[in-house]
Amino acid sequence: MALSRRSFVQGAVAVGAAAVAAPFVASRGAESGVAPRMPESRLPKPFTRPLTVPPVLTPTVATPNTDYHVIRMMPTTAELVPGYRTQLWSYNGSVPGPTIVAQRGRKTVARFINQLPASHPQLAYQSYASVHLHGAMSKPQYDGYASDLIQPGYFKDYRWDNTECARSIWYHDHAVHHTWTNVAMGLAGRYLIVDPDDAKFNLPTGPFDVSLHISDAMFRDDGQLALDIPDLKGSWGDVILVNGTPWPTMQVQRRKYRFRIVNGCVSRSMFLRLSTNEPFQVIATDAGLVPKPVSVRALRMSNGERYDVVVDFSKYTPGTRVVLRNDSLPYNDGYTHTNKVMAFDVIGGQVDPRNNQVPSQLRPENEAMRLPLPVVPKVRRFRTERQGGEWTIDGYTWHDVIDSNYQLVAATPIVGDTEVWEFHNSSGGWSHPMHVHGADGRLLSRNGRSPYPYEVGPKDTYYVGENETLRILMKFEHPGKYMIHCHNGVHEDHDMMVQYEVVGLTEQGDDPLSEAAEVYQDQSL
Ligand code: C2O
Ligand code: CU
Ligand code: CU
């Protein structure tokens, strides 16, 4: 099934006409002019606003085994820069979108309705969308396949089974060639698969269990998002936002807190530590609780990765401010305040003593951690490369996938099999957070050595740094085609994404394009 470059070029002549009109060329215009930036003097100041937490979505209907949700993509505005209203795109009016909490084993049906204006206010592209639940083992037709589009005025029901082990994941737009701008406009939110059995760990819960959705933004001098970028290396903002608020503050009791962190920046990788240099504990990686907590002083975190950490504030005297810092990593554009993320202000008074623990063992039984190394490991190798300004995987792009009429696949693992995949980044000049849809895995090695201790957990996104080679062990759950891409959104859209196909033994895989969005008529919903 995998086409070589040569056979693909020849085949393209035949299928090219049938392929979906590619919006790619139109989006390139953004490279030419760069609008004037909002001067730093007018940008928001760090630590002037409180942290907010997006609302938890209430199901419209709940049956004994399924929660039904309705989520509308719609424009909104927010005062991110004092005195300016920035146009954003939201899920249900909230940026980030509402948090969806799914109990493991209960199904979710989420109806996403595209009520965006017909075209993007700045870039004028057609406002189509695709919704991906990043970190779930969704069937191909519910995985937010980049070319499975919901046009304005259309909706699609995504069916997610939530049979995965508990994990802190996120949903975000994945529309072909416009993913990064759609996400930068606000189309992203958290989704938590929770397992009642985790209660036995007595980890912080309720108000002490907080999702932190980190992103960054750059503004034009008219207060709108700066979405024109000078090259295709990435988009780095000069304002850091947490849950949509610039450098917020949060009051904390003198006790433990669980923070479910996602790096939702388009391109910025982070190197997180506390200003006090005190250690904190990593309790979960992308796809679930780790075998045992890992104490760290700093954490490198690329786009799309999640870490759940527990920070213990009991050692600080009331009045202490602990800043979550971002020590800058190479090849990330840094600005005056991008070395800070948010501040925790320790308060005195009553401390809630309940659920204030981190046990010494968490979930060694999570499947990704128990995957056996294949006796004769099949190693698939992927080179990440820049070619003529474009980003590629082994020289291929999503454009090639479109031109092949979605037939071009980079790998064909068998359902239920475990395989070793190797990602290689020979460049010294940039990193690529590689994300494999449809497969939980774990990192076997980084440059031939053990992964960082805090990376030893179930994962789906892997930081392939400058001059690094990673080996990953993965298991493939559902037959069908899934995307593989770099999670630097600018690389992803230009056009560092390919697909692979999980081959069924008896069953045929579902076609990711088999369940098209429908016209939305029922205004009452
Ligand atoms: Cu978070 Cu394919 O994406
Ligand atoms: Cu994903
Ligand atoms: Cu990349």
Side-chain angles (χ1 to χ4, degrees), residues 4 19 29 38 46 65 68 97 116 119 144 170 176 208 215 225 255 286 299 316 330 431 450 453 488 522:
S4 71
M38 179 71 73
N65 51 26
Y68 292 84
L116 296 169
S119 62
W170 62 314
V176 61
F208 311 108
S215 59
L225 292 177
R255 53 157 290 148
D286 302 335
L299 187 61
Y316 302 109
S431 63
S450 306
N488 174 331
D522 187 356

Side-chain angles (χ1 to χ4, degrees), residues 219-393:
F219 295 88
R220 306 191 311 199
D221 70 351
D222 64 358
Q224 299 312 312
L225 292 177
L227 300 173
D228 45 353
I229 48 173
D231 57 41
L232 298 180
K233 289 190 184 151
S235 168
W236 290 274
D238 47 8
V239 174
I240 304 283
L241 304 122
V242 182
N243 297 348
T245 301
W247 300 286
T249 61
M250 178 189 177
Q251 294 200 328
V252 291
Q253 292 181 11
R254 300 175 63 204
R255 53 157 290 148
K256 293 187 175 72
Y257 281 73
R258 174 182 188 162
F259 296 113
R260 303 179 190 242
I261 308 175
V262 56
N263 180 348
C265 297
V266 169
S267 302
R268 182 179 298 286
S269 11
M270 324 254 343
F271 200 74
L272 301 176
R273 74 176 166 90
L274 300 172
S275 54
T276 54
N277 275 321
E278 288 290 336
F280 50 96
Q281 284 174 294
V282 171
I283 59 163
T285 47
D286 302 335
L289 290 172
V290 294
K292 48 180 189 225
V294 179
S295 179
V296 294
R297 286 204 151 78
L299 187 61
R300 190 175 73 156
M301 188 171 187
S302 64
N303 323 100
E305 282 187 293
R306 287 90 61 208
Y307 283 103
D308 288 12
V309 304
V310 171
V311 180
D312 190 352
F313 295 103
S314 64
K315 50 173 94 65
Y316 302 109
T317 50
T320 308
R321 167 166 283 180
V322 181
V323 175
L324 179 63
R325 299 192 63 96
N326 167 39
D327 289 344
S328 82
L329 284 164
Y331 313 107
N332 281 268
D333 293 357
Y335 298 91
T336 309
H337 295 298
T338 49
N339 60 355
K340 317 172 180 62
V341 179
M342 65 176 291
F344 302 103
D345 287 324
V346 182
I347 57 168
Q350 205 88 51
V351 173
D352 190 331
R354 289 168 296 174
N355 290 87
N356 197 20
Q357 280 169 37
V358 177
S360 57
Q361 177 162 308
L362 286 161
R363 290 232 177 253
E365 72 273 26
N366 273 346
E367 196 184 6
M369 304 316 293
R370 289 187 298 116
L371 292 178
L373 260 184
V375 185
V376 185
K378 181 181 290 176
V379 181
R380 301 196 193 259
R381 295 190 170 79
F382 298 88
R383 279 169 294 118
T384 61
E385 278 173 345
R386 190 166 208 208
Q387 286 185 357
E390 287 280 294
W391 303 95
T392 74
I393 299 171

Side-chain angles (χ1 to χ4, degrees), residues 132-135 143-144 170-174 179 303-306 435-437 460-461 483-487 492 497:
H132 171 52
L133 181 53
H134 179 153
D143 195 45
W170 62 314
Y171 62 101
H172 63 75
D173 191 75
H174 219 299
T179 295
N303 323 100
E305 282 187 293
R306 287 90 61 208
H435 173 38
V436 182
H437 283 225
D460 55 49
T461 306
M483 298 175 284
I484 309 168
H485 63 91
C486 174
H487 219 292
E492 174 181 353
M497 182 160 74

